[in-house]
Amino acid sequence: MLQDAVMQSWCTVTIRNTGVTLIDGLRHDSGDPFEWGEKALAHYAKLRIDARTKRLVFSDALTVPKALALYRHFADRVMLGFGIGTQLTNDTPYQALNIVMKLVRCNGQPVAKLSDTPGKSQCTDETFLAYLRQVFNHPEHKAGRS
């Protein structure tokens, strides 16, 4: 589950024991990965779920050194996965481009991402974004444009 689509804070309040039991793991995609991982483990502990049966996947601007640091920090407490994309395949001396494609509409309806990280929220429909901010009690960060 990519919590960042609706913010980790909302997920940890809303997804209770049954939901967490059905989800194999969580994917980090914004914010501090160490803080996010600790919050995820604390949520599992609160629900009395053995975190060693779950997986945390890290993928936000990940490099090999950062993945190794995350592994050392979490490996004895939870299963781990790493998605090293741009930094793994860019073996040139030039700065890698940060190109991400995001879904903005589905079947004619707006799609949004509400992020814990300012600037990473995304929606092209301001009315829909305002509605989601109200529903999820989300602070007003500037939404990204596609």
Side-chain angles (χ1 to χ4, degrees):
M1 174 181 189
L2 178 59
Q3 294 174 298
D4 190 36
V6 290
M7 307 167 316
Q8 182 181 27
S9 57
W10 180 83
C11 287
T12 54
V13 168
T14 306
I15 300 174
R16 300 290 183 217
N17 206 345
T18 303
V20 173
T21 302
L22 296 174
I23 297 168
D24 291 334
L26 304 169
R27 178 179 155 222
H28 170 264
D29 193 44
S30 67
D32 180 271
F34 294 95
E35 182 181 319
W36 174 87
E38 292 299 339
K39 285 181 181 178
L41 294 178
H43 190 60
Y44 287 142
K46 179 181 172 184
L47 297 175
R48 296 184 180 150
I49 293 173
D50 183 357
R52 293 171 297 181
T53 67
K54 301 296 181 184
R55 181 176 308 279
L56 299 182
V57 178
F58 297 90
S59 64
D60 184 37
L62 204 57
T63 62
V64 172
K66 188 188 269 185
L68 290 172
L70 288 162
Y71 178 83
R72 286 190 290 274
H73 187 81
F74 290 109
D76 61 338
R77 299 183 285 161
V78 64
M79 292 185 286
L80 296 168
F82 302 96
I84 307 173
T86 304
Q87 300 304 322
L88 185 64
T89 59
N90 180 31
D91 60 356
T92 71
Y94 302 103
Q95 179 69 30
L97 296 175
N98 186 4
I99 301 172
V100 179
M101 297 174 72
K102 300 281 185 180
L103 183 67
V104 295
R105 296 189 85 67
C106 182
N107 294 327
Q109 300 299 313
V111 173
K113 173 184 174 181
L114 297 178
S115 177
D116 290 316
T117 301
K120 283 188 102 175
S121 291
Q122 203 163 24
C123 186
T124 58
D125 184 317
E126 290 297 325
T127 303
F128 184 56
L129 185 59
Y131 166 75
L132 292 176
R133 283 186 177 134
Q134 182 180 8
V135 168
F136 294 110
N137 193 26
H138 185 265
E140 288 208 34
H141 300 309
K142 285 278 187 197
R145 295 284 180 229
S146 297

